[in-house]
Amino acid sequence: MRKNFGKKAISLALIAAMSVTMITGCGDNKKAKNDGKTTVTLGIWPSDDLVDDISTFEGYVDTMKELHPDVVIEPAHYTYATDTFVSLASSGNCPTIFDTWFTEPQKLINQGLVADITEEVKARGWDKKMNPDVLKIMSDEDGHIYGIARDAYALGVMCNVNLFKEAGLVDEDGIPKFPQTWEELAETAKTIKDKTGSAGFCLLAKDNAGGWHFSNIAWAFGATLCKDNGDGTYTSNLNSKEAVDAMKYVYDLKWKYDVLTADPTAENWDSGFQQIGTDACAMYIAANDAVDKPTQVNGLATDKLAMCAIPAGPNGDQYSLTGGTPYMFSKDASKEEINAALDFLEVMGRTPDVNDTMIQGLQADAAKRKNNGVPVIKPFPCWINEDRLEAEQKVLEEYKNVDERLYSNYFDTTGKEGNLRSEEPGETQEMYAQLTNVLQDVVTNKDCDIQKLMDTANENYQKILDSKYHK
């Protein structure tokens, strides 16, 4: 689950593109407008506030013009949202290519809202180079492919080095003393709050992001939140002892340690990055693919951000929720449009093929990050061919701009076998919503009955599961 917390806006660029589509009609008229060339509406175009990112994309477009002069690229920034996508796709106004989250492909495939790109992907040999776990997420039960991964991620804990240093919690080299357990995180957060006045930890409790983050905390306490019955049905398990214990821990962060930001019910995915990027809080659950948010977007110096692994629970359980961002394609896209969009991804360096264009794409992205004060760190592998991995490492060494020790705890731990865990099955977003409802009560009502709240959430979620997956 990524970046889906109330972001419903479609930029003016997409609205304009949609308006042109509605005025001029379907694909044939669009092709006529562009002299018979293949037109790709690029829903992955950066938003208007990311000026440098737009400049990088304009460079990609220039390269496309040289390599594929028969293709016209139309910027059409789109932010995927569950409550608007169905109508967008059904009306024929979906961009040729867009990105979403790993929780969504199976839903979109089953609803017939995205294009089958099996033929195009196999013709390029990319199906053999994709991480098998990622390929499974992108495919239906018959092996037909509907997307490719932009990137993958694993949750960890972002740390503000300034606040750790001010609280005396760094080693002789200025590397934060990362908490190893959730109990240590609470104690570390309290030390920082007492010595700096800033919040020790940013907890999200405004929207589904709260439930998303809480699920990773709950796993550390031994919880499984939704059980797959193996027959196409699911059983809610939100009120287990382990899940309740995890919620009691959250209660303690608020009422025992008093280390949270002023109003967790106002904190969403974006505001958490603002809190850590502006020295307003010391720790925040986030992933490796979002290091630009506290730095480039919110002004934190590159060398003042660090990451550690998700802490272990009371019995040593330690998991990092893993997911990612897939590229998917409009159900109305022609084969020519799909291939043109794939060509554009190749120019961006987002494909497995290693060639001068791909390396230039990786270098452009790394240079953009370095120039904008974004940590240049290694990605999680979506493509597993060795030449691709070697190329990524060479680019990383060329553009590296941070001390690797600021991230080594995070990468070492998430790289251990068995540490990564996918999101819970069932109606995951609905589960997150139910958990967020509980979080909101827990952080606003000191006298709340946690067991009762979790019982109610469990009952509500089970009703949703039964309505969706009844036999």
Side-chain angles (χ1 to χ4, degrees):
M1 164 180 180
R2 301 304 303 265
K3 306 176 187 177
N4 60 323
F5 320 123
K7 294 184 178 180
K8 303 176 182 178
I10 303 175
S11 77
L12 293 177
L14 177 57
I15 294 173
M18 289 163 50
S19 300
V20 169
T21 302
M22 290 185 282
I23 293 171
T24 61
C26 299
D28 290 341
N29 287 331
K30 185 186 292 183
K31 289 178 180 178
K33 180 187 71 172
N34 289 314
D35 299 324
K37 295 182 178 181
T38 300
T39 300
V40 174
T41 53
L42 209 66
I44 60 175
W45 193 267
S47 56
D48 292 342
D49 58 316
L50 298 176
V51 178
D52 291 306
D53 291 48
I54 290 175
S55 177
T56 299
F57 267 69
E58 289 171 344
Y60 296 149
V61 171
D62 290 340
T63 302
M64 276 292 291
K65 289 178 179 178
E66 295 177 8
L67 298 178
H68 306 281
D70 57 335
V71 175
V72 175
I73 300 295
E74 292 187 349
H77 172 72
Y78 170 64
T79 298
Y80 179 86
T82 55
D83 55 352
T84 60
F85 183 77
V86 174
S87 60
L88 184 74
S90 299
S91 64
N93 289 318
C94 180
T96 309
I97 180 173
F98 64 97
D99 54 34
T100 176
W101 333 297
F102 274 12
T103 56
E104 302 305 293
Q106 292 304 311
K107 299 177 186 177
L108 301 183
I109 292 169
N110 292 336
Q111 294 178 72
L113 296 175
V114 287
D116 183 336
I117 61 170
T118 308
E119 181 179 333
E120 292 77 15
V121 170
K122 287 190 173 182
R124 296 166 185 255
W126 292 358
D127 57 316
K128 304 297 184 184
K129 300 176 181 179
M130 198 182 304
N131 184 314
D133 292 331
V134 172
L135 181 61
K136 184 177 180 180
I137 293 171
M138 302 297 148
S139 305
D140 65 17
E141 58 185 11
D142 297 320
H144 293 271
I145 304 168
Y146 292 81
I148 64 175
R150 185 192 78 182
D151 49 41
Y153 71 86
L155 291 183
V157 178
M158 285 187 176
C159 301
N160 180 299
V161 178
N162 291 325
L163 295 177
F164 270 77
K165 183 177 181 179
E166 187 177 345
L169 295 173
V170 297
D171 64 19
E172 61 276 9
D173 297 318
I175 307 299
K177 297 179 179 178
F178 299 118
Q180 303 300 306
T181 66
W182 281 106
E183 187 60 32
E184 285 184 16
L185 183 142
E187 294 168 354
T188 297
K190 180 167 176 51
T191 297
I192 290 172
K193 175 74 176 292
D194 291 344
K195 292 189 176 182
T196 72
S198 294
F201 185 72
C202 181
L203 176 83
L204 307 187
K206 181 178 181 179
D207 48 35
N208 287 12
W212 174 48
H213 281 186
F214 174 77
S215 68
N216 208 151
I217 299 174
W219 292 343
F221 282 75
T224 295
L225 300 174
C226 182
K227 296 180 179 179
D228 186 340
N229 298 322
D231 60 358
T233 65
Y234 300 90
T235 299
S236 175
N237 198 36
L238 302 186
N239 62 344
S240 68
K241 178 184 182 302
E242 295 81 5
V244 171
D245 286 346
M247 193 61 74
K248 288 179 178 177
Y249 171 80
V250 171
Y251 177 94
D252 285 346
L253 289 177
K254 171 64 178 178
W255 302 109
K256 176 182 176 180
Y257 296 100
D258 186 25
V259 296
L260 303 180
T261 55
D263 183 9
T265 66
E267 303 289 6
N268 60 19
W269 190 79
D270 277 326
S271 72
F273 293 115
Q274 182 178 20
Q275 294 282 12
I276 196 168
T278 58
D279 295 347
C281 84
M283 291 178 285
Y284 174 54
I285 294 176
N288 57 294
D289 65 341
V291 292
D292 62 318
K293 303 302 181 183
T295 53
Q296 179 183 5
V297 176
N298 288 292
L300 187 65
T302 309
D303 62 347
K304 301 306 179 185
L305 180 68
M307 282 190 71
C308 66
I310 293 288
N315 295 318
D317 293 321
Q318 187 174 28
Y319 302 101
S320 290
L321 187 154
T322 185
T325 301
Y327 292 120
M328 304 197 83
F329 304 80
S330 168
K331 65 180 179 60
D332 301 311
S334 67
K335 292 184 179 298
E336 292 78 12
E337 290 165 349
I338 291 170
N339 271 312
L342 294 176
D343 288 336
F344 191 88
L345 295 183
E346 190 171 56
V347 167
M348 291 175 63
R350 295 291 190 179
T351 67
D353 295 334
V354 177
N355 50 46
D356 290 342
T357 300
M358 170 267 186
I359 292 174
Q360 289 169 5
L362 289 179
Q363 291 173 329
D365 182 68
K368 176 197 70 178
R369 288 171 174 266
K370 188 171 184 177
N371 292 338
N372 286 283
V374 178
V376 180
I377 58 176
K378 62 183 181 181
F380 272 79
C382 294
W383 305 105
I384 58 174
N385 45 307
E386 286 298 325
D387 54 345
R388 163 81 195 204
L389 297 177
E390 290 175 2
E392 288 177 347
Q393 184 59 33
K394 287 181 179 179
V395 172
L396 175 63
E397 292 172 357
E398 181 180 357
Y399 290 92
K400 183 171 63 176
N401 61 350
V402 294
D403 189 328
E404 292 181 350
R405 291 175 296 176
L406 293 171
Y407 295 87
S408 58
N409 175 271
Y410 168 78
F411 281 113
D412 289 347
T413 305
T414 55
K416 293 178 181 177
E417 184 176 356
N419 180 271
L420 300 181
R421 184 166 171 174
S422 299
E423 292 179 81
E424 298 273 355
E427 291 296 301
T428 314
Q429 296 295 331
E430 298 288 355
M431 182 190 76
Y432 292 151
Q434 293 299 322
L435 290 170
T436 296
N437 289 340
V438 178
L439 289 170
Q440 291 176 348
D441 278 317
V442 166
V443 299
T444 57
N445 181 9
K446 189 174 183 180
D447 297 321
C448 67
D449 186 330
I450 294 176
Q451 182 67 60
K452 184 176 180 179
L453 291 170
M454 295 294 271
D455 287 342
T456 299
N458 189 70
E459 181 180 348
N460 292 341
Y461 183 43
Q462 187 62 58
K463 290 179 180 177
I464 294 169
L465 290 171
D466 289 344
S467 68
K468 295 282 187 178
Y469 302 102
H470 63 278
K471 296 200 69 176

